[in-house]
PDB file of all heavy atoms in Angstrom:
ATOM      1  N   VAL A   1      45.181-187.931 136.859  1.00 93.00           N
ATOM      2  CA  VAL A   1      44.370-186.792 136.475  1.00 93.00           C
ATOM      3  C   VAL A   1      42.960-187.348 136.083  1.00 93.00           C
ATOM      4  O   VAL A   1      42.852-188.368 135.479  1.00 93.00           O
ATOM      5  CB  VAL A   1      45.001-186.019 135.291  1.00 93.00           C
ATOM      6  CG1 VAL A   1      44.082-184.814 134.861  1.00 93.00           C
ATOM      7  CG2 VAL A   1      46.358-185.515 135.623  1.00 93.00           C
ATOM      8  N   THR A   2      41.902-186.619 136.509  1.00 92.00           N
ATOM      9  CA  THR A   2      40.584-187.178 136.271  1.00 92.00           C
ATOM     10  C   THR A   2      40.215-187.239 134.808  1.00 92.00           C
ATOM     11  O   THR A   2      39.600-188.215 134.304  1.00 92.00           O
ATOM     12  CB  THR A   2      39.549-186.340 137.039  1.00 92.00           C
ATOM     13  OG1 THR A   2      39.656-184.964 136.605  1.00 92.00           O
ATOM     14  CG2 THR A   2      39.725-186.449 138.536  1.00 92.00           C
ATOM     15  N   HIS A   3      40.614-186.167 134.065  1.00 93.00           N
ATOM     16  CA  HIS A   3      40.196-186.109 132.656  1.00 93.00           C
ATOM     17  C   HIS A   3      41.140-185.195 131.866  1.00 93.00           C
ATOM     18  O   HIS A   3      41.604-184.180 132.414  1.00 93.00           O
ATOM     19  CB  HIS A   3      38.731-185.581 132.526  1.00 93.00           C
ATOM     20  CG  HIS A   3      38.131-185.719 131.177  1.00 93.00           C
ATOM     21  ND1 HIS A   3      38.423-184.872 130.168  1.00 93.00           N
ATOM     22  CD2 HIS A   3      37.222-186.646 130.709  1.00 93.00           C
ATOM     23  CE1 HIS A   3      37.746-185.231 129.070  1.00 93.00           C
ATOM     24  NE2 HIS A   3      36.988-186.301 129.386  1.00 93.00           N
ATOM     25  N   PRO A   4      41.457-185.506 130.660  1.00 93.00           N
ATOM     26  CA  PRO A   4      42.407-184.660 129.861  1.00 93.00           C
ATOM     27  C   PRO A   4      41.954-183.234 129.699  1.00 93.00           C
ATOM     28  O   PRO A   4      42.782-182.376 129.539  1.00 93.00           O
ATOM     29  CB  PRO A   4      42.472-185.370 128.520  1.00 93.00           C
ATOM     30  CG  PRO A   4      42.013-186.777 128.718  1.00 93.00           C
ATOM     31  CD  PRO A   4      41.027-186.724 129.847  1.00 93.00           C
ATOM     32  N   ASP A   5      40.665-182.980 129.678  1.00 93.00           N
ATOM     33  CA  ASP A   5      40.142-181.654 129.410  1.00 93.00           C
ATOM     34  C   ASP A   5      39.653-180.875 130.627  1.00 93.00           C
ATOM     35  O   ASP A   5      39.170-179.748 130.517  1.00 93.00           O
ATOM     36  CB  ASP A   5      39.035-181.713 128.372  1.00 93.00           C
ATOM     37  CG  ASP A   5      39.513-182.251 127.052  1.00 93.00           C
ATOM     38  OD1 ASP A   5      40.698-181.935 126.655  1.00 93.00           O
ATOM     39  OD2 ASP A   5      38.722-183.015 126.397  1.00 93.00           O
ATOM     40  N   VAL A   6      39.754-181.446 131.793  1.00 92.00           N
ATOM     41  CA  VAL A   6      39.212-180.799 133.006  1.00 92.00           C
ATOM     42  C   VAL A   6      40.039-179.533 133.298  1.00 92.00           C
ATOM     43  O   VAL A   6      41.286-179.508 133.175  1.00 92.00           O
ATOM     44  CB  VAL A   6      39.249-181.756 134.208  1.00 92.00           C
ATOM     45  CG1 VAL A   6      40.672-182.031 134.684  1.00 92.00           C
ATOM     46  CG2 VAL A   6      38.418-181.222 135.370  1.00 92.00           C
ATOM     47  N   THR A   7      39.330-178.470 133.702  1.00 90.00           N
ATOM     48  CA  THR A   7      40.026-177.175 133.988  1.00 90.00           C
ATOM     49  C   THR A   7      39.586-176.708 135.361  1.00 90.00           C
ATOM     50  O   THR A   7      38.537-177.059 135.896  1.00 90.00           O
ATOM     51  CB  THR A   7      39.598-176.099 132.966  1.00 90.00           C
ATOM     52  OG1 THR A   7      38.187-175.847 133.058  1.00 90.00           O
ATOM     53  CG2 THR A   7      40.020-176.499 131.558  1.00 90.00           C
ATOM     54  N   ARG A   8      40.427-175.894 135.956  1.00 88.00           N
ATOM     55  CA  ARG A   8      40.151-175.312 137.281  1.00 88.00           C
ATOM     56  C   ARG A   8      40.715-173.948 137.320  1.00 88.00           C
ATOM     57  O   ARG A   8      41.736-173.595 136.641  1.00 88.00           O
ATOM     58  CB  ARG A   8      40.718-176.223 138.392  1.00 88.00           C
ATOM     59  CG  ARG A   8      40.063-177.533 138.611  1.00 88.00           C
ATOM     60  CD  ARG A   8      38.653-177.425 139.126  1.00 88.00           C
ATOM     61  NE  ARG A   8      38.000-178.709 139.266  1.00 88.00           N
ATOM     62  CZ  ARG A   8      37.252-179.323 138.398  1.00 88.00           C
ATOM     63  NH1 ARG A   8      37.092-178.810 137.215  1.00 88.00           N
ATOM     64  NH2 ARG A   8      36.732-180.458 138.723  1.00 88.00           N
ATOM     65  N   TYR A   9      40.148-173.112 138.215  1.00 85.00           N
ATOM     66  CA  TYR A   9      40.721-171.794 138.478  1.00 85.00           C
ATOM     67  C   TYR A   9      41.728-171.955 139.586  1.00 85.00           C
ATOM     68  O   TYR A   9      41.568-172.757 140.472  1.00 85.00           O
ATOM     69  CB  TYR A   9      39.625-170.815 138.983  1.00 85.00           C
ATOM     70  CG  TYR A   9      38.659-170.413 137.925  1.00 85.00           C
ATOM     71  CD1 TYR A   9      37.401-170.932 137.792  1.00 85.00           C
ATOM     72  CD2 TYR A   9      39.022-169.354 137.023  1.00 85.00           C
ATOM     73  CE1 TYR A   9      36.512-170.551 136.804  1.00 85.00           C
ATOM     74  CE2 TYR A   9      38.102-168.952 136.049  1.00 85.00           C
ATOM     75  CZ  TYR A   9      36.874-169.560 135.928  1.00 85.00           C
ATOM     76  OH  TYR A   9      35.981-169.149 134.969  1.00 85.00           O
ATOM     77  N   PHE A  10      42.847-171.140 139.496  1.00 84.00           N
ATOM     78  CA  PHE A  10      43.893-171.189 140.545  1.00 84.00           C
ATOM     79  C   PHE A  10      44.314-169.800 140.881  1.00 84.00           C
ATOM     80  O   PHE A  10      44.334-168.891 140.045  1.00 84.00           O
ATOM     81  CB  PHE A  10      45.065-171.960 140.043  1.00 84.00           C
ATOM     82  CG  PHE A  10      44.889-173.467 140.075  1.00 84.00           C
ATOM     83  CD1 PHE A  10      44.548-174.147 138.860  1.00 84.00           C
ATOM     84  CD2 PHE A  10      45.016-174.232 141.202  1.00 84.00           C
ATOM     85  CE1 PHE A  10      44.380-175.483 138.843  1.00 84.00           C
ATOM     86  CE2 PHE A  10      44.806-175.558 141.175  1.00 84.00           C
ATOM     87  CZ  PHE A  10      44.525-176.268 140.015  1.00 84.00           C
ATOM     88  N   MET A  11      44.720-169.678 142.153  1.00 82.00           N
ATOM     89  CA  MET A  11      45.272-168.432 142.630  1.00 82.00           C
ATOM     90  C   MET A  11      46.166-168.786 143.822  1.00 82.00           C
ATOM     91  O   MET A  11      45.820-169.692 144.577  1.00 82.00           O
ATOM     92  CB  MET A  11      44.196-167.426 143.085  1.00 82.00           C
ATOM     93  CG  MET A  11      44.651-166.085 143.581  1.00 82.00           C
ATOM     94  SD  MET A  11      43.189-164.992 144.029  1.00 82.00           S
ATOM     95  CE  MET A  11      42.730-164.421 142.414  1.00 82.00           C
ATOM     96  N   THR A  12      47.254-168.037 144.048  1.00 83.00           N
ATOM     97  CA  THR A  12      48.043-168.332 145.212  1.00 83.00           C
ATOM     98  C   THR A  12      47.264-167.935 146.465  1.00 83.00           C
ATOM     99  O   THR A  12      46.340-167.068 146.451  1.00 83.00           O
ATOM    100  CB  THR A  12      49.375-167.555 145.216  1.00 83.00           C
ATOM    101  OG1 THR A  12      49.094-166.134 145.357  1.00 83.00           O
ATOM    102  CG2 THR A  12      50.129-167.835 143.977  1.00 83.00           C
ATOM    103  N   VAL A  13      47.524-168.584 147.568  1.00 86.00           N
ATOM    104  CA  VAL A  13      46.837-168.306 148.786  1.00 86.00           C
ATOM    105  C   VAL A  13      47.076-166.889 149.251  1.00 86.00           C
ATOM    106  O   VAL A  13      46.149-166.228 149.811  1.00 86.00           O
ATOM    107  CB  VAL A  13      47.226-169.321 149.891  1.00 86.00           C
ATOM    108  CG1 VAL A  13      48.726-169.193 150.282  1.00 86.00           C
ATOM    109  CG2 VAL A  13      46.375-169.186 151.131  1.00 86.00           C
ATOM    110  N   GLU A  14      48.255-166.323 149.026  1.00 86.00           N
ATOM    111  CA  GLU A  14      48.520-164.972 149.366  1.00 86.00           C
ATOM    112  C   GLU A  14      47.652-163.964 148.607  1.00 86.00           C
ATOM    113  O   GLU A  14      47.105-163.002 149.149  1.00 86.00           O
ATOM    114  CB  GLU A  14      50.027-164.602 149.176  1.00 86.00           C
ATOM    115  CG  GLU A  14      50.999-165.409 150.063  1.00 86.00           C
ATOM    116  CD  GLU A  14      51.318-166.741 149.497  1.00 86.00           C
ATOM    117  OE1 GLU A  14      50.831-167.093 148.380  1.00 86.00           O
ATOM    118  OE2 GLU A  14      52.027-167.506 150.190  1.00 86.00           O
ATOM    119  N   GLU A  15      47.569-164.262 147.286  1.00 84.00           N
ATOM    120  CA  GLU A  15      46.707-163.387 146.441  1.00 84.00           C
ATOM    121  C   GLU A  15      45.253-163.433 146.823  1.00 84.00           C
ATOM    122  O   GLU A  15      44.544-162.459 146.953  1.00 84.00           O
ATOM    123  CB  GLU A  15      46.906-163.775 144.957  1.00 84.00           C
ATOM    124  CG  GLU A  15      48.290-163.525 144.379  1.00 84.00           C
ATOM    125  CD  GLU A  15      48.519-164.247 143.110  1.00 84.00           C
ATOM    126  OE1 GLU A  15      47.775-165.134 142.735  1.00 84.00           O
ATOM    127  OE2 GLU A  15      49.523-163.895 142.454  1.00 84.00           O
ATOM    128  N   ALA A  16      44.738-164.701 147.075  1.00 88.00           N
ATOM    129  CA  ALA A  16      43.347-164.893 147.435  1.00 88.00           C
ATOM    130  C   ALA A  16      43.022-164.148 148.736  1.00 88.00           C
ATOM    131  O   ALA A  16      42.026-163.499 148.833  1.00 88.00           O
ATOM    132  CB  ALA A  16      43.074-166.360 147.489  1.00 88.00           C
ATOM    133  N   VAL A  17      43.913-164.344 149.722  1.00 91.00           N
ATOM    134  CA  VAL A  17      43.574-163.746 151.056  1.00 91.00           C
ATOM    135  C   VAL A  17      43.673-162.213 150.988  1.00 91.00           C
ATOM    136  O   VAL A  17      42.865-161.549 151.632  1.00 91.00           O
ATOM    137  CB  VAL A  17      44.528-164.295 152.108  1.00 91.00           C
ATOM    138  CG1 VAL A  17      44.496-163.505 153.398  1.00 91.00           C
ATOM    139  CG2 VAL A  17      44.169-165.800 152.356  1.00 91.00           C
ATOM    140  N   GLU A  18      44.595-161.713 150.203  1.00 90.00           N
ATOM    141  CA  GLU A  18      44.707-160.291 150.076  1.00 90.00           C
ATOM    142  C   GLU A  18      43.373-159.704 149.506  1.00 90.00           C
ATOM    143  O   GLU A  18      42.872-158.657 149.992  1.00 90.00           O
ATOM    144  CB  GLU A  18      45.855-159.933 149.105  1.00 90.00           C
ATOM    145  CG  GLU A  18      46.302-158.505 149.187  1.00 90.00           C
ATOM    146  CD  GLU A  18      47.583-158.257 148.376  1.00 90.00           C
ATOM    147  OE1 GLU A  18      48.260-159.260 148.050  1.00 90.00           O
ATOM    148  OE2 GLU A  18      47.898-157.055 148.116  1.00 90.00           O
ATOM    149  N   LEU A  19      42.801-160.363 148.489  1.00 89.00           N
ATOM    150  CA  LEU A  19      41.518-159.958 148.003  1.00 89.00           C
ATOM    151  C   LEU A  19      40.340-160.212 148.919  1.00 89.00           C
ATOM    152  O   LEU A  19      39.373-159.431 148.961  1.00 89.00           O
ATOM    153  CB  LEU A  19      41.272-160.639 146.652  1.00 89.00           C
ATOM    154  CG  LEU A  19      42.095-160.155 145.490  1.00 89.00           C
ATOM    155  CD1 LEU A  19      41.842-160.996 144.252  1.00 89.00           C
ATOM    156  CD2 LEU A  19      41.800-158.715 145.118  1.00 89.00           C
ATOM    157  N   VAL A  20      40.440-161.284 149.731  1.00 92.00           N
ATOM    158  CA  VAL A  20      39.382-161.553 150.745  1.00 92.00           C
ATOM    159  C   VAL A  20      39.308-160.403 151.747  1.00 92.00           C
ATOM    160  O   VAL A  20      38.249-159.886 152.064  1.00 92.00           O
ATOM    161  CB  VAL A  20      39.664-162.882 151.441  1.00 92.00           C
ATOM    162  CG1 VAL A  20      38.790-162.956 152.697  1.00 92.00           C
ATOM    163  CG2 VAL A  20      39.374-164.017 150.557  1.00 92.00           C
ATOM    164  N   ILE A  21      40.497-159.933 152.217  1.00 92.00           N
ATOM    165  CA  ILE A  21      40.497-158.875 153.177  1.00 92.00           C
ATOM    166  C   ILE A  21      40.024-157.585 152.510  1.00 92.00           C
ATOM    167  O   ILE A  21      39.311-156.770 153.166  1.00 92.00           O
ATOM    168  CB  ILE A  21      41.910-158.690 153.733  1.00 92.00           C
ATOM    169  CG1 ILE A  21      42.347-159.961 154.498  1.00 92.00           C
ATOM    170  CG2 ILE A  21      42.031-157.484 154.686  1.00 92.00           C
ATOM    171  CD1 ILE A  21      43.768-159.946 154.973  1.00 92.00           C
ATOM    172  N   GLN A  22      40.390-157.389 151.241  1.00 92.00           N
ATOM    173  CA  GLN A  22      39.938-156.194 150.549  1.00 92.00           C
ATOM    174  C   GLN A  22      38.373-156.249 150.341  1.00 92.00           C
ATOM    175  O   GLN A  22      37.682-155.261 150.525  1.00 92.00           O
ATOM    176  CB  GLN A  22      40.578-156.090 149.181  1.00 92.00           C
ATOM    177  CG  GLN A  22      40.145-154.877 148.330  1.00 92.00           C
ATOM    178  CD  GLN A  22      40.661-153.586 148.891  1.00 92.00           C
ATOM    179  OE1 GLN A  22      41.816-153.269 148.814  1.00 92.00           O
ATOM    180  NE2 GLN A  22      39.751-152.780 149.456  1.00 92.00           N
ATOM    181  N   ALA A  23      37.863-157.445 150.100  1.00 91.00           N
ATOM    182  CA  ALA A  23      36.414-157.629 149.904  1.00 91.00           C
ATOM    183  C   ALA A  23      35.739-157.261 151.182  1.00 91.00           C
ATOM    184  O   ALA A  23      34.558-156.764 151.145  1.00 91.00           O
ATOM    185  CB  ALA A  23      36.139-159.057 149.448  1.00 91.00           C
ATOM    186  N   GLY A  24      36.335-157.564 152.307  1.00 90.00           N
ATOM    187  CA  GLY A  24      35.687-157.241 153.581  1.00 90.00           C
ATOM    188  C   GLY A  24      35.452-155.732 153.762  1.00 90.00           C
ATOM    189  O   GLY A  24      34.563-155.297 154.380  1.00 90.00           O
ATOM    190  N   ALA A  25      36.401-154.995 153.100  1.00 90.00           N
ATOM    191  CA  ALA A  25      36.315-153.532 153.226  1.00 90.00           C
ATOM    192  C   ALA A  25      35.237-152.926 152.307  1.00 90.00           C
ATOM    193  O   ALA A  25      34.651-151.868 152.572  1.00 90.00           O
ATOM    194  CB  ALA A  25      37.658-152.879 152.937  1.00 90.00           C
ATOM    195  N   ILE A  26      34.956-153.604 151.191  1.00 90.00           N
ATOM    196  CA  ILE A  26      34.055-153.008 150.148  1.00 90.00           C
ATOM    197  C   ILE A  26      32.780-153.825 149.962  1.00 90.00           C
ATOM    198  O   ILE A  26      31.886-153.385 149.216  1.00 90.00           O
ATOM    199  CB  ILE A  26      34.762-152.867 148.807  1.00 90.00           C
ATOM    200  CG1 ILE A  26      35.132-154.237 148.252  1.00 90.00           C
ATOM    201  CG2 ILE A  26      36.009-151.979 148.996  1.00 90.00           C
ATOM    202  CD1 ILE A  26      35.799-154.185 146.885  1.00 90.00           C
ATOM    203  N   GLY A  27      32.660-154.960 150.653  1.00 88.00           N
ATOM    204  CA  GLY A  27      31.464-155.815 150.420  1.00 88.00           C
ATOM    205  C   GLY A  27      30.196-155.186 150.864  1.00 88.00           C
ATOM    206  O   GLY A  27      30.117-154.469 151.858  1.00 88.00           O
ATOM    207  N   ARG A  28      29.114-155.468 150.128  1.00 87.00           N
ATOM    208  CA  ARG A  28      27.778-154.962 150.443  1.00 87.00           C
ATOM    209  C   ARG A  28      27.026-156.069 151.211  1.00 87.00           C
ATOM    210  O   ARG A  28      27.156-157.249 150.922  1.00 87.00           O
ATOM    211  CB  ARG A  28      26.996-154.603 149.173  1.00 87.00           C
ATOM    212  CG  ARG A  28      27.562-153.360 148.479  1.00 87.00           C
ATOM    213  CD  ARG A  28      26.575-152.859 147.437  1.00 87.00           C
ATOM    214  NE  ARG A  28      27.063-151.699 146.741  1.00 87.00           N
ATOM    215  CZ  ARG A  28      26.358-150.990 145.881  1.00 87.00           C
ATOM    216  NH1 ARG A  28      25.130-151.329 145.613  1.00 87.00           N
ATOM    217  NH2 ARG A  28      26.865-149.916 145.278  1.00 87.00           N
ATOM    218  N   ASP A  29      26.265-155.615 152.188  1.00 88.00           N
ATOM    219  CA  ASP A  29      25.551-156.511 153.100  1.00 88.00           C
ATOM    220  C   ASP A  29      24.695-157.527 152.371  1.00 88.00           C
ATOM    221  O   ASP A  29      23.897-157.196 151.504  1.00 88.00           O
ATOM    222  CB  ASP A  29      24.720-155.695 154.019  1.00 88.00           C
ATOM    223  CG  ASP A  29      24.391-156.391 155.311  1.00 88.00           C
ATOM    224  OD1 ASP A  29      25.067-157.353 155.629  1.00 88.00           O
ATOM    225  OD2 ASP A  29      23.440-155.938 156.006  1.00 88.00           O
ATOM    226  N   GLY A  30      24.896-158.831 152.648  1.00 90.00           N
ATOM    227  CA  GLY A  30      24.116-159.906 152.136  1.00 90.00           C
ATOM    228  C   GLY A  30      24.555-160.416 150.740  1.00 90.00           C
ATOM    229  O   GLY A  30      24.008-161.375 150.255  1.00 90.00           O
ATOM    230  N   GLU A  31      25.573-159.799 150.122  1.00 92.00           N
ATOM    231  CA  GLU A  31      26.002-160.232 148.818  1.00 92.00           C
ATOM    232  C   GLU A  31      27.221-161.147 148.908  1.00 92.00           C
ATOM    233  O   GLU A  31      27.794-161.348 149.950  1.00 92.00           O
ATOM    234  CB  GLU A  31      26.395-159.000 147.973  1.00 92.00           C
ATOM    235  CG  GLU A  31      25.235-158.086 147.680  1.00 92.00           C
ATOM    236  CD  GLU A  31      25.609-156.937 146.761  1.00 92.00           C
ATOM    237  OE1 GLU A  31      26.743-156.481 146.805  1.00 92.00           O
ATOM    238  OE2 GLU A  31      24.691-156.421 146.057  1.00 92.00           O
ATOM    239  N   ALA A  32      27.461-161.825 147.772  1.00 94.00           N
ATOM    240  CA  ALA A  32      28.700-162.625 147.648  1.00 94.00           C
ATOM    241  C   ALA A  32      29.661-161.834 146.773  1.00 94.00           C
ATOM    242  O   ALA A  32      29.326-161.338 145.669  1.00 94.00           O
ATOM    243  CB  ALA A  32      28.382-163.940 146.976  1.00 94.00           C
ATOM    244  N   MET A  33      30.856-161.642 147.258  1.00 94.00           N
ATOM    245  CA  MET A  33      31.934-160.978 146.509  1.00 94.00           C
ATOM    246  C   MET A  33      32.744-162.064 145.778  1.00 94.00           C
ATOM    247  O   MET A  33      33.200-163.010 146.381  1.00 94.00           O
ATOM    248  CB  MET A  33      32.820-160.209 147.444  1.00 94.00           C
ATOM    249  CG  MET A  33      32.064-159.297 148.411  1.00 94.00           C
ATOM    250  SD  MET A  33      31.051-158.057 147.561  1.00 94.00           S
ATOM    251  CE  MET A  33      32.315-156.987 146.884  1.00 94.00           C
ATOM    252  N   VAL A  34      32.809-161.966 144.449  1.00 93.00           N
ATOM    253  CA  VAL A  34      33.393-162.984 143.658  1.00 93.00           C
ATOM    254  C   VAL A  34      34.752-162.410 143.176  1.00 93.00           C
ATOM    255  O   VAL A  34      34.848-161.463 142.497  1.00 93.00           O
ATOM    256  CB  VAL A  34      32.518-163.334 142.439  1.00 93.00           C
ATOM    257  CG1 VAL A  34      33.130-164.495 141.605  1.00 93.00           C
ATOM    258  CG2 VAL A  34      31.121-163.727 142.933  1.00 93.00           C
ATOM    259  N   LEU A  35      35.852-163.261 143.446  1.00 91.00           N
ATOM    260  CA  LEU A  35      37.166-162.829 143.074  1.00 91.00           C
ATOM    261  C   LEU A  35      37.464-163.212 141.590  1.00 91.00           C
ATOM    262  O   LEU A  35      37.095-164.286 141.173  1.00 91.00           O
ATOM    263  CB  LEU A  35      38.215-163.494 143.963  1.00 91.00           C
ATOM    264  CG  LEU A  35      38.046-163.305 145.463  1.00 91.00           C
ATOM    265  CD1 LEU A  35      39.303-163.882 146.205  1.00 91.00           C
ATOM    266  CD2 LEU A  35      37.765-161.877 145.846  1.00 91.00           C
ATOM    267  N   ASP A  36      38.111-162.322 140.882  1.00 88.00           N
ATOM    268  CA  ASP A  36      38.560-162.556 139.516  1.00 88.00           C
ATOM    269  C   ASP A  36      39.760-163.542 139.576  1.00 88.00           C
ATOM    270  O   ASP A  36      40.818-163.176 140.044  1.00 88.00           O
ATOM    271  CB  ASP A  36      38.916-161.264 138.845  1.00 88.00           C
ATOM    272  CG  ASP A  36      39.346-161.494 137.398  1.00 88.00           C
ATOM    273  OD1 ASP A  36      39.478-162.629 136.954  1.00 88.00           O
ATOM    274  OD2 ASP A  36      39.546-160.477 136.697  1.00 88.00           O
TER     275      ASP A  36
END
């Protein structure tokens, strides 16, 4: 492990892709859609 205090965000690939496809339906032109 690189460091005792290092943190990262995690999500299952199924959850992430489900939101990616949803973002494609609601995304506004030129913006970045950021997943929670």
Side-chain angles (χ1 to χ4, degrees):
V1 180
T2 56
H3 192 280
D5 297 323
V6 70
T7 62
R8 291 293 181 266
Y9 289 100
F10 285 99
M11 180 179 282
T12 67
V13 65
E14 294 83 5
E15 293 165 346
V17 167
E18 195 171 345
L19 287 175
V20 166
I21 298 175
Q22 180 70 70
I26 64 176
R28 291 194 181 185
D29 204 16
E31 293 184 333
M33 311 300 290
V34 183
L35 306 188
D36 182 352

